[in-house]
Amino acid sequence: MAHKVLSKDMKELVGAMKLAQNYSNTVVDSSYRKSMLSSAHVLAIDAKNLLDVIDSVRIRYPEVDKMIKKNTRNDSNSPPPPAPEEPQTSGGEVSHYGVPNKVTEHITTS
């Protein structure tokens, strides 16, 4: 259930980011930017709620917490996963989020 909610929220954020990018040099720029920030806020709140549920389960059921810690220790002995490949673009630099730097610079400076 949680992955469906977070996936939906992420899709909405990506859609809002694309719209904000498309209309970045227009009169409606600020409204699309607000929409993007609103989508990011919803995603952050839903992720926080998921972490709160996980924490409450770990507190309520100590055996689950022990299993999580045991699995975490086992995973620390395994080698790290390979790094993802850099996304290919048709020009321009890309931030580590896969968004063209021009968009992230515009958003952060405005």
Side-chain angles (χ1 to χ4, degrees):
M1 167 83 178
H3 69 282
K4 289 181 182 179
V5 171
L6 293 176
S7 292
K8 181 178 120 333
D9 291 344
M10 191 64 182
K11 285 179 186 176
E12 288 178 11
L13 176 58
V14 168
M17 287 180 76
K18 287 180 182 178
L19 287 172
Q21 181 181 9
N22 289 341
Y23 295 102
S24 64
N25 295 324
T26 65
V27 177
V28 292
D29 173 46
S30 63
S31 64
Y32 282 105
R33 205 170 342 132
K34 286 179 186 177
S35 173
M36 180 187 65
L37 292 173
S38 176
S39 295
H41 180 75
V42 168
L43 178 63
I45 294 298
D46 286 345
K48 181 196 174 297
N49 288 339
L50 175 61
L51 291 174
D52 288 345
V53 168
I54 292 170
D55 283 343
S56 67
V57 168
R58 291 176 72 177
I59 291 168
R60 191 175 295 158
Y61 302 101
E63 62 274 6
V64 172
D65 189 42
K66 289 177 186 175
M67 286 176 23
I68 291 172
K69 288 180 181 176
K70 180 182 175 184
N71 287 339
T72 303
R73 274 188 245 127
N74 290 343
D75 289 343
S76 64
N77 293 334
S78 60
E85 292 184 21
E86 290 293 319
Q88 298 296 323
T89 62
S90 59
E93 293 184 24
V94 175
S95 72
H96 62 278
Y97 294 111
V99 178
N101 280 335
K102 186 168 80 174
V103 172
T104 55
E105 288 170 6
H106 179 74
I107 292 169
T108 56
T109 58
S110 300

